[in-house]
Structure formats: structure tokens, C-alpha cells
Amino acid sequence: MAFSGKWLRFSTDFQIRGMSVESMHTEASSMATASLSPDRTTSRNRKRLVFRGLATVLLLLVLAAAGVSGWFYYTATASLPQIDGTMTVAGLSGPVTVLRDAQGVPHINAATLEDALFAQGFVTAQDRLWQMDMSRRFGRGQLSEILGARTLATDRKQRQLNLTQAAERAIAQISEVERAHINAYVKGVNALMERQMEKLPIEFRVLGYKPTPWTAVDSMMVGINISGNLNTQYPLELERETLIKDLPAEIVADLYPNSSWRDRPPSALPRQEQHLPDAPPEGAPGPDDDARSSLGWPPSAGTDTVCEACTPGSNNWVISGAHTTTGKPLVANDMHLGHSIPNVWYEVHIKAPGYNVAGVSFPGLPFVIAGHNERIAWGFTNVGPDVQDLYLENFNEAGEYETPTGWHKAEVRHEFIKVKGQVDVPLDVVITRHGPLVSPAGEARRIALRWTIYDPLVLAFRFHAIGQAQDWEQFRAAVSSFGGAPQNIVYGDVDGNIGYQTAGFIPIRAKGDGLLPVPGNIDDYEWSGYIAFEKLPSIINPASGVLATANGRITPDGYPYLIANQWGSPFRTERIYRVLESGKKFQPAEMITLQMDTHSEMDRLAAQRFVYAIDRQKAASERLRKAADLLRSWNGRMEID
């Protein structure tokens, strides 16, 4: 009975017949001899056993995969936002309605602004909680706590930049009204967290941690992260120092051009009134011959970036009713930040007494950043000013650094970076009168960073006042104390007005142009303040009826202040103006088509230069001449073929 069924079935292959003892011995001998040859039946059964074993293993693997998939599906769907029905949430003073449209965009309607901001925090956290948590961890230098040693270098850099302390100082000085607004948003985020703590988004479960409560400092950190993303001058200063050391000024000017005949500063007079050429100087390639054609080309296919200057940047423009089929202005805005999943922007519509604005927000920050209310619309692009300077600090053996008034002790903050699965990593953050030391690895010099965000007055995000503005004057008043990375803002309103305004805090240097690191032990290179808002480039209702920016130069010739020492390429801005000044009247859909434009005047210029060179080369091969013919007839559109 101890045998398995397989063995019992196997025994039936033998047949016992009646025979004598001798015959039994004979038969046994013959059977013993025959057993030396393979038994086909036995082989088949062994194959059957192997097949069944493999089938069993495969079944177990399928069941395991189904279990894992089921867990992922349940975990992912359990944290999905409730978008139907009614829920009771503590912290509101009255009912709030949230309607999601076909694209999932929330439309919030509340009886008070604080309740509306509470709801904004709540629904944003419904959709983007893990993104928000990663954003604050990035700013605070706390990624390694959940991701391990792979992000240790990032955490170390972020802590050296002293960003958490900058956010804390900024929150400490905001007005009581601003504090009430940001706290309402924070309460909404935390209400969602409390409700979902046992059903967190799947990213939290995969990484095995739970988020801590959201704070006002965390919201400020989100704003600082965006400023850091848009202000990247100080690494370039170190690169420039290596490249241009001991070079004559004219060579440096060639390496880092700061103006072009193609520039279109929005606040400048039209080309004709400035006596500027509408065509390039003699010997330079001509303008696009088919720039006045229709906008019927397809959108371009994405390509990998091979150089920073080749990266398409942001764009915005506004055209007056003279250029539109409706007779009303059109504002277009396409803000390019790094690609991410989910997107860096979060669309939302917020309606409360005195505030009715639709547009895009940053997950973690209250209000709408760019969009429109019932009367005005506005859009941003990055100015790209130099708001960061590097100072070479002279330290002695006692840990003091030299100043014009003597030696001073540097502030030293001892920190520990938590690393998942490893011991904490110690870090000393050293801060001088100019800012924290940010010397890169392998750099023996002690280099301090001065940055506008270390001034708490600069970190003022005036999006509530911007959203409330009803006309140009109110709008300018709202952006007059705009903080964060300085921006180009285009404006349009229902009365037919269009305008442009530079907004933000841009330092005035006592000496120098911010190109290179400067001595920190003297006051020659200190900042004497910021460019007054009234002195920043601005214009309302230009005669051309067109205003556009695309990260290019915004200062007209003769502008008295240094805003930037390296602007974005002028080709994109020039292209926008060429199309919008073509003489046709545009529909809203054509604004989107222009945003998806594939024409590259910069690449067409390069093609023309190649053709010029090949045509004048007597020994050019047949292959080169064919290439020249291809480039000669190319229309400059970067299409997929």
C-alpha cells in the first residue's frame, strides 16, 4: 500500500502465467535478460512524468504571476480618486463642488477662497501625491532615504544649496493673507493623506514607505525647485572659467555672443523705426522664403537632445484683434520644462468669490500659475537672467573666511543623509556671507554661491493677485513683486489690449558681469540691489499688434542694465514673428499649429552654409554634390522623413 498509484499502474505491465518451477526459472532468466533493453512503455511514462512536472511548475508560475498582477491591480485601483458621489471631509466651512471634465480636469466651485484652495490641495493630492512627495524630497535632499545610494550625490548637492532653510525663511516672512491661503491648501493635502493612508498610491507601496504630513515649507520648496530648474547659471560660470581663461575679449565675445540682428526684443520699436534690417547683413543667409505660407504642416516627431542649445524652449505670444478672425486678442503659451510622468503641470479651474481662474498649476502650490480669468489671459516663458554669482572665499586654518572687515567664522551645519539599507552619511554645510559653499568634487578652492532665492523677499509667488487682476494696470501691480525665476509675461484682455512685461528680481552688480567667479574677500563685486520694476522691459498695445518671446534677448539696444549675459538662440522668436506678421488673420486652432511648427531656420542656415562650401569645392565627390542638391531644395522643416 506504500506504493504510489504510478507504481501500481506500472506493475500491471507484467503478466504472471501458470508454469513449472523450471519454466519459471527459465522465464525469469529470459525476463531478466530482456529487462536490459529499454522499455518503450517505461520511457513514455517517464516523459509523461516530466511533462506533468513542467506543467505543474508552469501552472504555479502562472498562478504566481496572476497573484502579483492582481496585487498590483488592486493596489493601483484602490488609491484611484473618487470622482463621483459625495464625501464628508473635515476642515471645510461649507460644501464644495468638484466636477471633472472629459479630460479629468477638476473644476472647483466653493463659497470661500479658503475652501476652494482646500479642495485644490485635496484633488491635486488625489492625482499627484507621490509626485508631490518626490518633489519635496528632491528639494530637501531626502531621496536616498527611499531610493538608496543611487541618489546620494543629488541629496548632497541639494543640501549644500541650503534650499530647506531658504524655504523656511520665506514662509516666515509671508503676509497673514498669504499664510491663510497656503495653509488652506496644505490642510486639503493632509485631509487626502489621512483618508488614503491605508490605500496609498502604488509607488509608496512598492518603495515601502508612507509620506509625512504636508507643510507650508513643502509648498514653498516646490516653488524653489522650479526656480532651480530655470536658474542654472553657476555651473556655466565654472565651465566658462575653464574655457576663456587668458583669452582676449574679442574671442570671448565670439564664443559667447549676446546679441544678433535676428533678435526681436518685445519692448523695442518695430524694425523700421529702429532702422534695423529686415534682412541679414551682407553675406549672411537670407530669411525664410516660404515663411508666409499656410500653417498646414504636421507636428514634428520627438528627437533626442544632443546639445543644450539645440533644445526647444518655451514660447508665448499675443496678437491683437487686427490679426485674428474674431477681432479679439489671442494669447498662446507653451511652457517647456523637462518631460516627466506624470506631467510637471496640473490643469485646474478654481471658482470662489473674487477668484475665477482656469489654467495650469504646480502640484504642491496653490492657485493657477498661467491661464485666464473672465477678463484677462497671461502666459510665461523663462527670461534666463543671471541671478547667481560665484565668490572665491579665502579661508584660514581656523575655519574663518576673509571679509573687508576682517576674518569671520563661517556658519557650519552638521547633517546626516539617511540612505535606505545603509548607515547615515554625514555632511557639513558651510555658509558664508554670500551663501553656501558649492565647490564641485576635485575643486580645491572654496566657492560660495549667491542666489536671489536666499533673499526671503524674492520668494513671493503672487498668483492670487495675478488671478484677480481685471485690467493691465492691476495685472502690472500684481506682478510687480513677482518672485521665483524672472519671467517674460504676455497679456491680453477682453477689451482688446495686449501687453508684455518682464517680472522678477534681477540683481544689479557693483562691478562685473557675472560671467566668472569673483573674489569674495572684497566688496567690489557685491550686489547693490535689484532692477526696479519700472525699469524692466514692458510695453502695452504696440503698433504691430504682435508680441512674442521664446527665451531670446528681451532688452533693446541701449538698455542700461545687465539682465543676462547669454540669451537663448533668436531663431525661434524670429520664426514666430515671421509667421504672425504674415498679414493673414488667425483662428485659435492655428495658434496650436504654430506651436507645433517644425521649421528650423537655424538648421536651414547650416544647410545653406554646407551648400555654399560644397559648390565652391572643385574636388567635391559625386556623393557630396548629391548631398548639396538635397540641402539646396530643403524647406527647413524638420519632418519625420
Side-chain angles (χ1 to χ4, degrees):
M1 297 298 295
F3 295 102
S4 69
K6 292 179 182 178
W7 283 103
L8 291 173
R9 284 195 298 274
F10 182 75
S11 68
T12 61
D13 291 340
F14 295 94
Q15 296 181 4
I16 306 296
R17 302 187 299 276
M19 58 187 70
S20 64
V21 174
E22 291 81 2
S23 65
M24 290 176 65
H25 283 296
T26 304
E27 184 70 9
S29 298
S30 80
M31 289 176 64
T33 303
S35 67
L36 295 176
S37 62
D39 190 310
R40 293 182 180 178
T41 304
T42 302
S43 178
R44 284 197 301 272
N45 280 291
R46 286 175 179 168
K47 291 179 180 179
R48 191 180 300 126
L49 286 172
V50 172
F51 175 78
R52 288 176 179 172
L54 291 174
T56 301
V57 172
L58 181 60
L59 178 61
L60 291 174
L61 290 175
V62 170
L63 291 174
V68 172
S69 299
W71 179 84
F72 270 97
Y73 178 80
Y74 170 78
T75 303
T77 56
S79 63
L80 291 179
Q82 178 183 339
I83 58 176
D84 297 307
T86 303
M87 65 174 69
T88 301
V89 181
L92 292 170
S93 64
V96 176
T97 301
V98 178
L99 299 176
R100 291 180 180 260
D101 60 25
Q103 285 72 44
V105 175
H107 298 254
I108 301 167
N109 195 340
T112 69
L113 182 58
E114 284 72 19
D115 280 356
L117 296 177
F118 181 104
Q120 184 190 7
F122 189 93
V123 299
T124 305
Q126 275 186 314
D127 295 341
R128 303 288 188 91
L129 181 58
W130 189 70
Q131 180 188 25
M132 293 165 62
D133 189 62
M134 290 296 287
S135 181
R136 64 172 169 177
R137 282 184 175 276
F138 171 76
R140 289 178 176 272
Q142 296 176 342
L143 291 174
S144 300
E145 185 177 354
I146 60 171
L147 299 178
R150 73 186 73 180
T151 54
L152 187 55
T154 299
D155 283 351
R156 184 179 289 111
K157 176 185 175 182
Q158 293 299 101
R159 292 186 184 223
Q160 286 175 333
L161 288 174
N162 218 35
L163 301 183
T164 300
Q165 291 67 33
E168 290 171 347
R169 288 195 299 269
I171 287 296
Q173 62 83 39
I174 62 176
S175 69
E176 289 305 314
V177 173
E178 291 172 318
R179 192 179 308 280
H181 292 161
I182 201 168
N183 283 342
Y185 184 92
V186 167
K187 289 176 182 177
V189 175
N190 288 328
L192 182 279
M193 277 202 217
E194 184 178 349
R195 192 180 188 90
Q196 292 286 112
M197 195 56 74
E198 300 307 317
K199 293 182 179 180
L200 290 168
I202 194 169
E203 297 91 343
F204 291 102
R205 302 210 177 183
V206 169
L207 293 171
Y209 81 100
K210 291 184 177 182
T212 57
W214 195 259
T215 68
V217 172
D218 294 329
S219 287
M220 185 61 70
M221 184 63 71
V222 171
I224 287 177
N225 286 344
I226 301 301
S227 293
N229 182 274
L230 297 175
N231 296 146
T232 57
Q233 292 83 24
Y234 85 87
L236 297 178
E237 289 187 29
L238 293 173
E239 293 177 9
R240 279 196 294 261
E241 183 185 34
T242 303
L243 287 170
I244 69 178
K245 185 179 181 180
D246 301 326
L247 288 179
E250 60 271 18
I251 300 298
V252 174
D254 282 344
L255 288 173
Y256 296 98
N258 206 25
S259 65
S260 165
W261 70 270
R262 298 175 183 270
D263 290 333
R264 293 293 298 265
S267 62
L269 294 172
R271 284 183 182 274
Q272 295 78 5
E273 296 180 42
Q274 295 181 80
H275 305 290
L276 296 177
D278 193 40
E282 185 177 353
D288 176 23
D289 294 331
D290 75 341
R292 299 178 185 274
S293 64
S294 67
L295 297 175
W297 53 86
S300 63
T303 56
D304 292 336
T305 298
V306 294
C307 70
E308 183 178 351
C310 305
T311 304
S314 303
N315 57 73
N316 64 7
W317 61 81
V318 57
I319 54 177
S320 70
H323 297 278
T324 69
T325 57
T326 63
K328 292 290 186 180
L330 283 175
V331 175
N333 190 199
D334 191 3
M335 298 178 286
H336 289 216
L337 294 176
H339 288 296
S340 66
I341 299 177
N343 190 358
V344 67
W345 299 107
Y346 183 78
E347 290 187 79
V348 65
H349 173 203
I350 305 171
K351 186 176 182 180
Y355 191 87
N356 184 9
V357 185
V360 293
S361 66
F362 286 124
L365 269 179
F367 296 112
V368 168
I369 307 300
H372 68 89
N373 58 27
E374 300 106 317
R375 291 192 52 82
I376 74 168
W378 66 96
F380 294 114
T381 67
N382 193 35
V383 171
D386 193 346
V387 296
Q388 297 173 333
D389 278 348
L390 294 178
Y391 291 84
L392 304 176
E393 305 286 19
N394 183 24
F395 274 76
N396 61 22
E397 295 181 356
E400 301 168 326
Y401 67 97
E402 188 180 9
T403 76
T405 60
W407 295 89
H408 291 270
K409 272 286 187 184
E411 177 188 347
V412 181
R413 191 172 63 252
H414 306 288
E415 297 188 4
F416 288 90
I417 303 175
K418 293 184 179 299
V419 182
K420 185 176 182 180
Q422 299 183 19
V423 297
D424 295 351
V425 176
L427 174 69
D428 287 346
V429 179
V430 182
I431 304 167
T432 71
R433 66 183 181 131
H434 294 117
L437 296 186
V438 293
S439 305
E443 174 62 70
R445 297 174 300 175
R446 312 294 289 275
I447 304 175
L449 170 66
R450 186 170 189 179
W451 186 2
T452 51
I453 69 161
Y454 298 140
D455 181 349
L457 294 177
V458 170
L459 289 177
F461 299 95
R462 306 302 189 196
F463 301 116
H464 174 227
I466 294 173
Q468 283 186 314
Q470 300 293 297
D471 56 34
W472 174 245
E473 293 305 319
Q474 291 181 16
F475 179 78
R476 289 195 76 226
V479 301
S480 63
S481 57
F482 177 86
Q487 298 291 294
N488 300 302
I489 312 179
V490 294
Y491 164 98
D493 64 33
V494 296
D495 295 325
N497 299 300
I498 68 170
Y500 163 83
Q501 178 67 56
T502 307
F505 290 84
I506 302 169
I508 299 174
R509 296 168 176 84
K511 182 180 178 181
D513 52 14
L515 273 172
L516 300 172
V518 295
N521 60 340
I522 56 178
D523 285 339
D524 296 28
Y525 298 92
E526 295 304 305
W527 295 354
S528 59
Y530 302 109
I531 301 175
F533 178 75
E534 294 74 19
K535 301 294 185 180
L536 293 173
S538 178
I539 191 169
I540 181 71
N541 293 327
S544 66
V546 179
L547 291 166
T549 74
N551 309 121
R553 182 165 72 98
I554 59 166
T555 53
D557 293 342
Y559 185 74
Y561 300 101
L562 173 70
I563 288 184
N565 47 47
Q566 190 172 358
W567 302 100
S569 167
F571 291 97
R572 291 186 293 115
T573 307
E574 182 193 40
R575 172 63 176 173
I576 294 169
Y577 273 102
R578 285 198 177 278
V579 173
L580 295 180
E581 292 178 341
S582 63
K584 69 171 294 183
K585 292 184 182 295
F586 294 93
Q587 300 177 11
E590 291 175 299
M591 301 293 94
I592 299 175
T593 306
L594 180 55
Q595 287 176 335
M596 304 299 287
D597 182 19
T598 63
H599 182 95
S600 173
E601 187 62 27
M602 182 174 69
D603 288 290
R604 191 170 186 224
L605 168 64
Q608 291 170 339
R609 297 297 88 190
F610 287 133
V611 171
Y612 181 90
I614 294 171
D615 285 349
R616 283 153 182 77
Q617 187 181 115
K618 294 181 179 179
S621 66
E622 183 64 22
R623 180 179 175 84
L624 270 181
R625 297 201 180 280
K626 287 182 178 180
D629 289 339
L630 284 172
L631 294 175
R632 195 189 319 278
S633 60
W634 181 48
N635 61 9
R637 293 175 181 172
M638 305 291 286
E639 295 176 345
I640 199 169
D641 60 352

